[in-house]
Amino acid sequence: DEYFARREAREREGWPSRLIIWFAIYSCRRQEEICQLLRSDIDWDNQVYVVRDMKHSKGSSGNNKTCRMPDPGWKILKMVCEMVPAPDD
C-alpha cells in the first residue's frame, strides 16, 4: 500500500493502482471483470454494480450479474471515479 501511494504521488498521472488493488479485494472481482466495469454499470443509490461476462464454468459470455460489496469498497470506487476522467461512452 505504501509503495503504491508513493508511486502515485511521484507520477501524478495514470491509474490509482493502490486503490484499484483495494477495490479488487473488497469487490472480489477478477482483473478482467474490473477492466470491463463501466460507470453506467454502477448504481450508487442502491450500492450495486453489474459485472459483465462473469466467469462461469459453462461460459462467461452474457453472464452479467448484479453484485454488492462492503462499504469500504464503495468509498474506494468513488475515489477512483473522482480521480480518473470519464471516457466518452
Side-chain angles (χ1 to χ4, degrees):
D1 196 43
E2 292 175 16
Y3 165 79
F4 287 107
R6 287 192 308 272
R7 184 173 160 202
E8 287 170 19
R10 191 173 57 244
E11 292 178 8
R12 293 187 182 168
E13 286 188 32
W15 293 88
S17 302
R18 174 179 56 97
L19 296 178
I20 293 172
I21 291 168
W22 280 110
F23 174 73
I25 292 168
Y26 282 114
S27 67
C28 300
R29 297 292 122 222
R30 294 176 167 83
Q31 180 179 348
E32 184 176 336
E33 294 166 345
I34 292 171
C35 291
Q36 291 180 1
L37 185 63
L38 303 174
R39 289 175 195 246
S40 58
D41 293 335
I42 303 168
D43 180 348
W44 295 101
D45 295 330
N46 296 308
Q47 289 196 330
V48 294
Y49 62 98
V50 175
V51 176
R52 296 175 182 273
D53 300 330
M54 184 183 283
K55 188 172 181 180
H56 192 278
S57 60
K58 295 184 179 180
S60 302
S61 183
N63 189 33
N64 303 333
K65 300 291 182 186
T66 301
C67 300
R68 299 187 178 278
M69 72 179 143
D71 288 337
W74 284 101
K75 291 177 185 176
I76 290 168
L77 184 57
K78 183 176 182 179
M79 289 169 46
V80 170
C81 287
E82 290 171 352
M83 295 173 79
V84 177
D88 298 328
D89 58 345

